[in-house]
Amino acid sequence: MRREDWFTLLDQAAALGVTMVQYIGGEPTLHPHLPQLIDHALNLGLRVEVFSNLVHIRPSMWRAFDRPGVSLATSYYSDNAAEHEKITGGRGSYARTRANIAEAVRRGIPLRASLVHVLDGQAVDGARAELRQLGVTGEIRLDRVRAIGNGDTAGVTFHDPAELCGRCGGDRAAIDPDGVVTPCVMSRWLTGGSVRTQSLAEILNGAEWADRMAVIPRRRAGGTCVPDSCTPKEDSCQPSPGVVTACNPDKDGSDCSPAETPACNPKY
């Protein structure tokens, strides 16, 4: 997907009534055109969230993040640097992410943080307390690694629709760097078409999309519980760089983020 392809996609999404776009990854701040993609979405009246590991933030990124209508999201794992970096796999990631969270708070940029339970005995309570000390005032949610794709701790690629949130494709869709459309970033094996050959509306109203949606268990009042979230942990799920999530939060206040409490039947 070229920059112009993303612009066309954003135009189509806005015309369909999408109200929010999430730039995720991989790591979206590495995309050379991210500031322009943010500007284009804002000019269409869309709200923008950038889901970043907040490790390397260039000055041009901060200028883009400072715009009204832009918010940030990140994952945080521990208040212990060694444990945090064991999970992320990046030396120095703890200090840089921590410093950039503090910088976002200083600038008044809306920021939500998610805790993801990965290791036995992980200091998630300490991480939550540290985020509060850094000035994160919003809801801090807790999720678990899901047995999907790279999140499968057995090291085998595994696709289980029951691990999805149950809302995938209903009020959101994800577009991969090659233009392939899937119900969410956690269900990339359920491909429904490509915006390089069809419009977004044609894909979402097509038979192939309906077939993909049919295999996803849906949440029902009083029915079987499925996980509450489809927002991944960047380092365990590793969606391909440049994935865009189109998200329309429900009127009840639910959003595209991990749940505050562990999802049903958590592994930990």
Side-chain angles (χ1 to χ4, degrees), residues 67-98:
R67 291 198 57 184
V70 179
S71 62
L72 297 175
T74 194
S75 293
Y76 209 64
Y77 308 110
S78 176
D79 61 346
N80 178 283
E83 185 173 59
H84 182 98
E85 292 170 12
K86 180 179 180 179
I87 294 170
T88 65
R91 176 180 291 184
S93 62
Y94 169 78
R96 288 194 292 268
T97 296
R98 189 180 189 279

Side-chain angles (χ1 to χ4, degrees), residues 164-181:
L164 301 173
C165 72
R167 293 170 53 209
C168 308
D171 59 1
R172 71 197 66 196
I175 295 83
D176 287 349
D178 57 2
V180 171
V181 183

Side-chain angles (χ1 to χ4, degrees), residues 178-200:
D178 57 2
V180 171
V181 183
T182 65
C184 71
V185 294
M186 298 284 275
S187 59
R188 289 182 296 133
W189 76 95
L190 297 173
T191 59
S194 172
V195 294
R196 298 179 68 183
T197 58
Q198 297 174 279
S199 71
L200 184 58

Side-chain angles (χ1 to χ4, degrees), residues 7-260:
F7 285 176
T8 298
L9 173 65
L10 290 169
D11 293 341
Q12 293 177 8
L16 289 174
V18 169
T19 61
M20 178 181 177
V21 61
Q22 181 192 69
Y23 296 112
I24 191 168
E27 175 48 43
T29 60
L30 298 178
H31 195 288
H33 302 306
L34 181 61
Q36 297 168 6
L37 294 174
I38 290 173
D39 287 346
H40 194 83
L42 292 175
N43 291 337
L44 290 168
L46 304 178
R47 291 180 293 118
V48 173
E49 180 180 82
V50 179
F51 200 124
S52 167
N53 59 27
L54 294 180
V55 173
H56 299 290
I57 308 298
R58 306 186 305 273
S60 62
M61 289 291 101
W62 285 120
R63 289 193 293 272
F65 298 162
D66 273 329
R67 291 198 57 184
V70 179
S71 62
L72 297 175
T74 194
S75 293
Y76 209 64
Y77 308 110
S78 176
D79 61 346
N80 178 283
E83 185 173 59
H84 182 98
E85 292 170 12
K86 180 179 180 179
I87 294 170
T88 65
R91 176 180 291 184
S93 62
Y94 169 78
R96 288 194 292 268
T97 296
R98 189 180 189 279
N100 284 323
I101 288 173
E103 178 65 12
V105 170
R106 185 190 71 80
R107 289 172 175 264
I109 300 171
L111 170 72
R112 67 179 179 89
S114 302
L115 304 174
V116 182
H117 197 165
V118 180
L119 304 175
D120 290 338
Q122 183 179 330
V124 291
D125 290 337
R128 179 183 282 107
E130 185 166 69
L131 288 169
R132 294 303 188 201
Q133 292 172 0
L134 290 170
V136 177
T137 59
E139 187 177 21
I140 299 173
R141 299 188 170 194
L142 175 65
D143 198 13
R144 62 179 174 84
V145 175
R146 304 193 183 281
I148 298 175
N150 293 340
D152 180 14
T153 55
V156 179
T157 299
F158 182 68
H159 302 315
D160 183 0
E163 286 285 279
L164 301 173
C165 72
R167 293 170 53 209
C168 308
D171 59 1
R172 71 197 66 196
I175 295 83
D176 287 349
D178 57 2
V180 171
V181 183
T182 65
C184 71
V185 294
M186 298 284 275
S187 59
R188 289 182 296 133
W189 76 95
L190 297 173
T191 59
S194 172
V195 294
R196 298 179 68 183
T197 58
Q198 297 174 279
S199 71
L200 184 58
E202 289 172 334
I203 292 171
L204 299 182
N205 291 307
E208 186 176 8
W209 184 260
D211 289 342
R212 302 299 180 266
M213 294 285 286
V215 305
I216 301 174
R218 298 294 165 183
R219 286 191 292 185
R220 301 183 306 275
T224 301
C225 183
V226 295
D228 295 336
S229 169
C230 69
T231 295
K233 177 180 88 65
E234 304 98 324
D235 302 297
S236 68
C237 302
Q238 295 185 353
S240 301
V243 173
V244 175
T245 299
C247 175
N248 287 332
D250 289 341
K251 293 181 180 179
D252 63 4
S254 58
D255 60 15
C256 301
S257 59
E260 172 68 23

